[in-house]
Amino acid sequence: MKVIIVGGVAGGASCAARLRRLDENAEILMVERGPYVSYANCGLPYHIGGVIERESSLLVASERTFREQFAIDTRTNCEVVSIDAPSKTVELRDTVTGKVTTEPYDKLVLSPGAKSVRPPLAGIDLPGIFEVRTVPDARAILEWVRKGTAYLAGMNSYSGIQMMRPPVRAVVVGGGFIGLETAENLRHIGFEVTIVEMLDQVLAPLDPEFARLVGGHLEMNGVRLALADGVKAFRRTEKGALEVETQSGKIHPADVVILALGVKPDTSLAATAGLTIGERGGIRVDDQMRTSDPDIFAVGDAIEVKDFVTDEWSLIALAGPANRQGRIAADVIAGRDARFRGTQGSSICGLFGAAVAWTGTSEKTLKRLGITDYEKVYLYPNSHAGYYPGAKMIGFKMLYRKSDGKVLGGQALSHDGPSADKRISALAVAIQMGATIDDLAESEICYAPQFGSAKDPLNFGGMVARDIEDGYMPIAFWDDPSDAFLLDVREPIELEIESVPGAVNIPLGELRGRIDELPQDCEIRVVCRSGQRAYYATRMLLQKGFNARTLSGGMLSRAIVIANAENLKNALV
């Protein structure tokens, strides 16, 4: 059996290695149009910022590795230019010599990846404008940063009298993963950074309130945000610098520009083979990674996959799913009954020591699909036991289905990055196993004071959700329209920092003695800083015959749910 794998990196390389482990006799040919067959493209921003010092550290495996360890014929700088599906052949072109050859196959695996979105804007090809997709891209950016213009080279590079280097500016176009990670790393090497984003938030998969929290964290670390304003054109000034003009007419000066506008599936090869392209623009595959041609498989960023939670077709450009898809394709080719369960889009992004992570569906996706059978919970627990030094708050949002309690998704952000990773990674496994809020409440999660609390945030999420469903903790949200009586049970000194107009303050410790000050004929919404004291007050009021609800997440939720609310930048301090 001869198997040709088109593309290396995550999906193709994992498929090739797995297939060899399963079938020692298969003839395997892997071709990669770039100079490196397997590299860590997720590490490129950190190489630009000097965190990963050596370029060679990004190279996962070489042609020699695949040839010597796996007996796989591996060819870099070699691209497939066409597929003849009826005759089961592909045409290969050597990108260095231009020579074209034809190779037959029994099974073909497509892992062409995705192409960077590069709109036809005026000046987009000017020197100093880069993408961050490949190792050569990172190399070119570093070379430009060091000596691309007189300002970037800096008079401080001369011998003799040392001059101060003038401020250097970068504009990152796009507020997704790569855009934010590159912005962080450019800040680390001394750039003033502006992120220009067409949407009204960074990190599109997040719900707006958590994206707002991420935006506040970026601004606290010196990154300027220009949201809801797409790029119109790029220009070069008389002094050699760049200017980025936006649709609103604003001008952002720059010494370097990074394009991080997202990616779209590379389906050009699939089109030559007559394969079915899905409604989202990716190659349509089944759960065994087969395309519409049973002898052609596809994996990675080029394909459409089913969302595990919503069952929607989706595009997920992530290394983890691509690796699993490559492995499944190899299993199926080798005769095993392997199947891809779908993806939850589990992701994490580290920013200036903090991290934001998410898995499953978002609230805005549920709304877009017209799904109303859900509830949400906002929590702000500590990353570990509060008495142990270094505890940081976690902003945590969990979504679940009201009818059966099944967990649908979650988002978390913390200055203690690993704590956000831990909770969302555990939640991702729970979702894939079909866990309910009761399963979370009963989950037994590792505990020692430096790592967590006896009641983990995931336990709390399940317990709070169960109290909501059992009627013990009716909740309300800041963006719900209401003329309810607002009761603030915080201490008076806390109101000097932030307060809500019209709210009546009765500290929790005084509430029993002053309960006759509350109205019996209307709904009472109770607020504190994070929700815990408000819950205690709500329980008290409900048992005394009042119509009370806890404002989920308290003042911390107000800071992120209400646009332009005070104290956003301090919400997770």
Side-chain angles (χ1 to χ4, degrees), residues 222-275:
V223 177
R224 302 186 185 97
L225 297 181
L227 303 178
D229 198 6
V231 172
K232 181 179 180 180
F234 303 94
R235 291 191 294 271
R236 181 164 295 286
T237 68
E238 292 181 359
K239 294 184 178 180
L242 293 163
E243 289 182 340
V244 180
E245 180 183 1
T246 63
Q247 296 291 338
S248 67
K250 292 182 179 178
I251 304 295
H252 300 281
D255 298 293
V256 63
V257 173
I258 304 297
L259 299 178
L261 291 164
V263 296
K264 58 183 179 181
D266 187 347
T267 58
S268 54
L269 271 180
T272 71
L275 304 180

Side-chain angles (χ1 to χ4, degrees), residues 50-347:
V51 178
I52 300 172
E53 295 183 1
R54 295 181 302 167
E55 181 184 281
S56 59
S57 299
L58 297 170
L59 307 180
V60 179
S62 65
E63 289 180 77
R64 180 178 177 180
T65 301
F66 280 99
R67 285 174 177 158
E68 293 184 355
Q69 293 188 15
F70 298 105
I72 293 172
D73 183 1
T74 306
R75 307 176 194 176
T76 55
N77 297 311
C78 179
E79 66 174 342
V80 177
V81 293
S82 66
I83 301 170
D84 188 337
S87 67
K88 299 179 74 169
T89 60
V90 297
E91 282 196 340
L92 307 181
R93 185 176 73 87
D94 187 311
T95 60
V96 177
T97 66
K99 181 181 178 181
V100 176
T101 57
T102 300
E103 291 277 354
Y105 66 84
D106 295 302
K107 302 293 181 183
L108 180 67
V109 181
L110 302 181
S111 182
K115 298 181 291 186
S116 295
V117 174
R118 193 179 178 90
L121 299 173
I124 198 169
D125 295 320
L126 285 170
I129 300 177
F130 302 94
E131 298 171 356
V132 187
R133 288 286 292 164
T134 66
V135 173
D137 288 340
R139 188 184 304 149
I141 292 169
L142 286 172
E143 290 176 357
W144 182 267
V145 163
R146 289 165 185 154
K147 57 183 180 181
T149 66
Y151 278 98
L152 288 173
M155 295 184 70
N156 63 324
S157 64
Y158 292 105
S159 60
I161 298 175
Q162 297 297 306
M163 304 293 289
M164 182 180 295
R165 191 185 192 194
V168 288
R169 304 151 301 181
V171 171
V172 177
V173 184
F177 273 112
I178 296 298
L180 266 57
E181 290 170 348
T182 305
E184 176 194 17
N185 280 281
L186 289 171
R187 284 290 296 150
H188 288 331
I189 57 175
F191 277 78
E192 297 176 355
V193 179
T194 300
I195 295 175
V196 176
E197 169 56 57
M198 182 172 61
L199 301 178
D200 60 358
Q201 68 171 72
V202 296
L203 295 176
L206 287 177
D207 282 325
E209 68 272 30
F210 266 68
R212 196 173 293 126
L213 192 56
V214 174
H217 178 68
L218 288 168
E219 290 176 332
M220 285 180 65
N221 285 277
V223 177
R224 302 186 185 97
L225 297 181
L227 303 178
D229 198 6
V231 172
K232 181 179 180 180
F234 303 94
R235 291 191 294 271
R236 181 164 295 286
T237 68
E238 292 181 359
K239 294 184 178 180
L242 293 163
E243 289 182 340
V244 180
E245 180 183 1
T246 63
Q247 296 291 338
S248 67
K250 292 182 179 178
I251 304 295
H252 300 281
D255 298 293
V256 63
V257 173
I258 304 297
L259 299 178
L261 291 164
V263 296
K264 58 183 179 181
D266 187 347
T267 58
S268 54
L269 271 180
T272 71
L275 304 180
T276 299
I277 305 300
E279 59 194 36
R280 302 297 301 275
I283 304 169
R284 181 62 60 84
V285 295
D286 63 14
D287 62 358
Q288 292 192 310
M289 316 319 299
R290 280 194 179 91
T291 67
S292 53
D293 184 319
D295 292 320
I296 302 179
F297 296 73
V299 301
D301 297 356
I303 69 171
E304 290 185 0
V305 293
K306 280 294 185 78
D307 185 290
F308 183 80
V309 178
T310 66
D311 204 38
E312 269 197 307
W313 287 105
S314 59
L315 299 172
I316 302 292
L318 293 171
N323 271 285
R324 296 198 305 277
Q325 292 156 12
R327 180 184 177 92
I328 288 169
D331 281 7
V332 174
I333 291 170
R336 296 165 62 94
D337 185 23
R339 296 182 184 275
F340 187 61
R341 296 183 184 180
T343 182
Q344 300 154 226
S346 302
S347 307

Side-chain angles (χ1 to χ4, degrees), residues 478-535:
W478 286 103
D479 50 357
D480 293 339
S482 172
D483 56 0
F485 182 91
L486 188 58
L487 172 64
D488 192 329
V489 297
R490 295 177 296 159
E491 296 299 314
I493 193 172
E494 295 178 77
L495 274 63
E496 296 182 14
I497 300 173
E498 56 182 349
S499 60
V500 182
V504 173
N505 177 229
I506 303 179
L508 179 62
E510 302 176 15
L511 186 56
R512 286 183 179 86
R514 298 174 59 183
I515 204 163
D516 57 352
E517 298 178 26
L518 300 178
Q520 292 272 6
D521 58 350
C522 69
E523 179 182 296
I524 299 174
R525 294 191 174 181
V526 191
V527 61
C528 65
R529 183 168 186 260
S530 64
Q532 186 176 43
R533 285 172 288 173
Y535 165 59

